[in-house]
Amino acid sequence: MKGLKSIFVCEKCEYKTPKWMGKCPQCGAWNSFHEDVIDTAPTTAPTATKRISMIPSGDSRAVEFGQLEIPSYMRQNTGLHELDRVLGGGLVHGSVVLLSGEPGIGKSTLLMQICDALGETRRVLYISGEESGGQLKLRAKRLGTVGKNLFILTETNIEQIIAEADRVKPDVMIVDSIQTVYSSNVNSPPGSVTQVKETALTFINKAKGEGSSVIMVGHVNKEGSIAGPKVLEHMVDAVLYFEGERQQSYRIIRAIKNRYGSTNEIGVFEMSDRGLIEVANPSEMLLAGRPKNISGNCAVCTLEGTRPLIAEIQALVTQTAFPAPRRTTNGIDYNRMCLIIAVLEKRLGLKFYQNDVYLNVIGGLHLDEPASDVSVALALISSVTDRVVPDDLIAIGELGLAGECRAVSNLEQRVKEAARLGFTKAIVPYRNLEKRKLEIEGIKLLPIRGIYETLNLLKEQE
């Protein structure tokens, strides 16, 4: 094996070192080095790695922008409206999509379900490196997939995959998963940084050169990020994350990168024995089983792209038995919770420093917009004072360090969604109503200027 050398490569920034290191000196990531084997032979040697370009080979002359043409079938529906919403309206012609998620979350099930809709007008090649053809047929039978214009290839060698793709000439290629595919020109095991990068470049070159759409499945590491080099996420056109707990039935698809659509949209599904079922009204799902007349519970309306979602926030404040009280969050940023607790202690005089605080968002949803601050504060106040927030009350607003309630965007859309689901009262920022009077049938608006008024409103509602 003359000419082969073992090195360690950082999967985050591709920093190379001859020995393993716990922390990358370039990007600062911990435990990100993986062993790789490279060929140090001269470039004229037969085993030299072939360079692959993301740009299709051919005419390299510049073309006037006005002469460029858009393909007649620029987008193709996948058959799942929730997935089309996240993609920006459907699968784009010649695009490369990376789908990632925890093991067993439902990635392969989702891809098998969309094969029927894609096969109505296009040829689909499903490349499986983890399951045999019989296993795929068994899943398709359970899901009720017909398999029209669907071709199955159980192969992991990229050269043979491309040769078969040239014969079948598919419009859509599904790769499950990219970590199992390897190239004979690279002296590294499948799943290594070099192998993942080179094989992904081959599929990208195929998609851009011939107009085939490619959907690649990517594994995740123990930190929850996509395994392989970070540059893989920069090379593809869209990166979708499949979120949810395997013990729960609901799944959420979120776009963290999309060159052809918004990254704020989400798709909600429910896992059943017949596959993934679209949830057209996630707000009703998130509020199902909400307890009545219990302190520490408050509803909030958050925006995910253009979709308003009603979420339930639960807070539990109990006397601590430890020198340092515990702070635990699920679905809300930990630092944001600490900020809100500090505001309540300073401005309202509530004693959280001697209590454990547990905060949870029902349904596995993650709230990252400031418009949920007032709802979080109200849930904490309700729990520490043991006052019940009315079940028909919803709170919307952002809190500042001085305790003021700041305006939020798209208030009318949020309040209309709350009224549709039966809420009759809504706490909203006063600044949103200064310039425009808002009246929505079936719901009463309670404007507040700061956190001081929240406690008074809670007393009035008793």
Side-chain angles (χ1 to χ4, degrees), residues 99-315:
L99 177 64
S100 181
E102 295 285 342
I105 204 71
K107 301 184 295 296
S108 300
T109 300
L110 174 73
L111 295 177
M112 183 60 71
Q113 286 185 240
I114 68 175
C115 286
D116 266 357
L118 294 174
E120 291 293 331
T121 56
R122 308 175 75 176
R123 296 166 70 91
V124 182
L125 176 61
Y126 195 109
I127 304 161
S128 176
E130 300 178 346
E131 296 179 288
S132 65
Q135 291 172 327
L136 292 174
K137 183 70 175 180
L138 184 64
R139 175 187 287 121
K141 182 178 179 181
R142 176 173 60 86
L143 301 176
T145 304
V146 178
K148 182 180 180 181
N149 287 329
L150 174 62
F151 298 84
I152 302 296
L153 175 62
T154 55
E155 180 60 59
T156 57
N157 184 273
I158 187 64
E159 287 80 14
Q160 298 185 25
I161 291 174
I162 295 300
E164 188 65 14
D166 292 337
R167 185 188 69 84
V168 177
K169 300 186 183 305
D171 299 305
V172 179
M173 288 192 296
I174 298 176
V175 185
D176 189 9
S177 65
I178 188 62
Q179 276 82 10
T180 62
V181 182
Y182 72 96
S183 173
S184 303
N185 297 321
V186 179
N187 296 305
S188 300
S192 63
V193 172
T194 306
Q195 285 283 12
V196 171
K197 183 177 178 181
E198 292 296 323
T199 53
L201 279 172
T202 304
F203 285 116
I204 294 173
N205 185 53
K206 182 78 172 176
K208 304 302 180 183
E210 301 181 6
S212 300
S213 301
V214 178
I215 302 177
M216 298 186 298
V217 174
H219 293 163
V220 296
N221 52 29
K222 59 183 180 181
E223 287 83 16
S225 57
I226 300 176
K230 192 69 175 178
V231 71
L232 178 62
E233 300 180 40
H234 296 285
M235 293 189 298
V236 300
D237 299 312
V239 180
L240 308 182
Y241 267 92
F242 216 163
E243 303 175 354
E245 298 290 338
R246 283 180 294 177
Q247 293 79 12
Q248 297 181 358
S249 60
Y250 295 106
R251 306 286 189 269
I252 296 176
I253 294 183
R254 189 186 306 272
I256 63 170
K257 174 187 177 182
N258 193 353
R259 289 175 179 164
Y260 310 113
S262 172
T263 57
N264 296 321
E265 299 289 352
I266 65 169
V268 184
F269 299 87
E270 182 180 2
M271 177 64 76
S272 68
D273 56 348
R274 301 291 296 175
L276 291 166
I277 301 175
E278 297 179 83
V279 179
N281 195 343
S283 296
E284 292 184 358
M285 174 267 294
L286 294 171
L287 293 177
R290 185 186 179 196
K292 304 294 184 181
N293 297 321
I294 299 296
S295 63
N297 187 292
C298 187
V300 63
C301 186
T302 180
L303 279 181
E304 293 286 350
T306 59
R307 166 183 285 180
L309 294 178
I310 305 293
E312 178 189 350
I313 298 177
Q314 289 185 339

Side-chain angles (χ1 to χ4, degrees), residues 48-65:
T49 302
K50 181 182 177 181
R51 291 288 180 181
I52 302 174
S53 174
M54 291 178 60
I55 304 176
S57 59
D59 194 355
S60 299
R61 292 178 298 177
V63 180
E64 186 180 353
F65 183 78

Side-chain angles (χ1 to χ4, degrees), residues 318-460:
T318 61
Q319 188 173 359
T320 184
F322 306 98
R326 297 187 61 183
R327 302 282 188 265
T328 304
T329 64
N330 182 26
I332 293 178
D333 182 66
Y334 176 81
N335 294 325
R336 194 73 185 176
M337 180 197 68
C338 293
L339 184 148
I340 295 174
I341 290 176
V343 172
L344 296 180
E345 286 185 333
K346 179 69 175 180
R347 307 304 173 186
L348 297 183
L350 299 176
K351 298 179 180 180
F352 288 93
Y353 60 85
Q354 59 187 12
N355 293 311
D356 294 332
V357 177
Y358 304 91
L359 208 59
N360 181 43
V361 180
I362 300 300
L365 197 66
H366 185 81
L367 304 181
D368 55 1
E369 68 164 342
S372 59
D373 288 353
V374 173
S375 181
V376 173
L378 200 58
L380 291 170
I381 294 172
S382 172
S383 182
V384 74
T385 60
D386 203 23
R387 288 191 173 96
V388 177
V389 178
D391 298 328
D392 59 347
L393 175 68
I394 190 169
I396 305 168
E398 176 186 356
L399 284 182
L401 293 181
E404 78 279 12
C405 184
R406 296 181 174 268
V408 299
S409 61
N410 300 308
L411 179 64
E412 183 176 359
Q413 187 179 3
R414 299 172 193 263
V415 176
K416 284 183 178 179
E417 177 70 8
R420 188 180 68 83
L421 291 176
F423 290 90
T424 60
K425 295 184 286 290
I427 295 178
V428 298
Y430 179 82
R431 294 184 180 274
N432 278 102
L433 306 180
E434 281 184 327
K435 297 180 179 180
R436 179 188 175 188
K437 187 177 181 181
L438 186 62
E439 293 184 0
I440 298 176
E441 184 179 357
I443 191 168
K444 179 183 178 182
L445 301 183
L446 305 174
I448 61 172
R449 290 182 171 85
I451 195 64
Y452 314 98
E453 304 174 28
T454 306
L455 189 58
N456 295 330
L457 284 175
L458 194 59
K459 294 178 180 179
E460 294 175 1

